[in-house]
Each structure stands twice: as C-alpha cells, then as structure tokens.
Amino acid sequence: MKNDVYVKDGIIIPEHELEITTSRSGGAGGQHVNKTDTRITVRWNVNNTRILTDEQRSRVLEKLASRLTAEGDLIIHNSESRSQQHNKKMALDALARTIHKALHVPKKRMKTHVSTAAKEARVHEKRHRGEIKYFRSKKSHDE
C-alpha cells in the first residue's frame, strides 16, 4: 500500500496498523501556520502488531521503553516542513529508522588473546627501558 512502512528485510508495517493524524503546527509561518494542519503524528502500537516475532517485539519494547506510552504506542511527530505530505514522509521515515535501530542485534564480541611473541616483545621493551633508566640514575649518582 501507499503508506506501508519498510523497516528492514521482510519487516513492513502495513498502513492499517498506523494511526496518522494531523494538527496545526506551531512556530513561524504567519497566516499559513494558523490555517493549515501540517503537523503529522504517527502512532504505532508495538504490543498489537502482527509483523514482529515475540523476540523482535520484546527487543523493541526493551530498547524503546522510554519512548512508548503505557499502552505500548510509539508516537512520532513531525512539523519541520510547511508541506503536510513532506512531514508525513519524514515522520514515516523516522518511524522506520527508530524501529530499525531498536531491532539491531549487536554482534557478539570475539575474545582475543595477546600472542606469546607480543608478550615477549612487551616484556623485552620494558626491561630495556628499565635498564636505560637504571644506568641513567647510576651516572648521576657517581658524579
């Protein structure tokens, strides 16, 4: 559909799951801003969606906990432009970006170890620096 939101491979929020409302935008704009509903509010309920698996849903609920309402709605506002269509596109893009970020699973860190050669080189360098400092102090004490 026209307002379906593509999030990432295989995850597309259908238009019927989104509640898109308009309202009057604040700020500069003179008479125009007082007469037109250019501010867009997109509301999407994470708890009731059918597009996410249980694992994905719990990840989104955890990552976006501070941005969700008590009912589990994610609300995105946009009023940057004077154009309602442009604000709508930007709000839907912001929704997609937010959900895409929340669904990101970080790679597991692979443990690495320092090679024996690197350890020996470090110890050799430390010993060498220590000798330099030791002989430096020997000279100053002899004088």
Side-chain angles (χ1 to χ4, degrees):
M1 287 200 178
K2 189 179 177 192
N3 289 326
D4 288 355
V5 178
Y6 173 81
V7 178
K8 66 182 216 171
D9 31 276
I11 300 176
I12 298 171
I13 301 172
E15 183 179 16
H16 67 84
E17 286 192 6
L18 299 173
E19 182 186 325
I20 301 173
T21 56
T22 60
S23 59
R24 294 219 171 109
S25 184
Q31 278 185 323
H32 176 80
V33 87
N34 299 326
K35 296 191 298 184
T36 55
D37 290 346
T38 54
R39 180 179 192 218
I40 296 288
T41 301
V42 179
R43 182 183 287 259
W44 178 63
N45 191 293
V46 180
N47 292 323
N48 298 338
T49 188
R50 292 198 173 130
I51 61 156
L52 298 177
T53 64
D54 289 338
E55 183 182 321
Q56 290 171 331
R57 181 178 287 111
S58 63
R59 179 174 290 282
V60 170
L61 288 169
E62 179 186 325
K63 292 266 181 98
L64 299 178
S66 64
R67 296 186 62 181
L68 298 176
T69 64
E71 297 82 36
D73 287 345
L74 175 62
I75 301 173
I76 304 281
H77 301 287
N78 192 297
S79 60
E80 291 177 28
S81 169
R82 285 173 54 123
S83 162
Q84 189 184 88
Q85 285 78 21
H86 191 248
N87 284 338
K88 186 175 187 179
K89 182 185 180 322
M90 288 174 27
L92 293 174
D93 289 347
L95 176 71
R97 273 194 315 275
T98 303
I99 297 164
H100 187 276
K101 264 177 85 172
L103 287 171
H104 175 72
V105 180
K107 288 183 182 177
K108 293 255 188 209
R109 183 182 177 277
M110 297 291 289
K111 289 186 178 178
T112 58
H113 66 280
V114 182
S115 67
T116 308
K119 283 182 185 175
E120 287 174 2
R122 184 182 62 84
V123 170
H124 175 74
E125 182 62 26
K126 283 175 70 83
R127 191 170 285 125
H128 180 67
R129 285 274 153 233
E131 288 172 0
I132 290 172
K133 291 178 181 182
Y134 176 76
F135 289 127
R136 196 183 292 153
S137 65
K138 280 285 192 196
K139 274 187 184 173
S140 63
H141 290 302
D142 291 342
E143 292 176 5

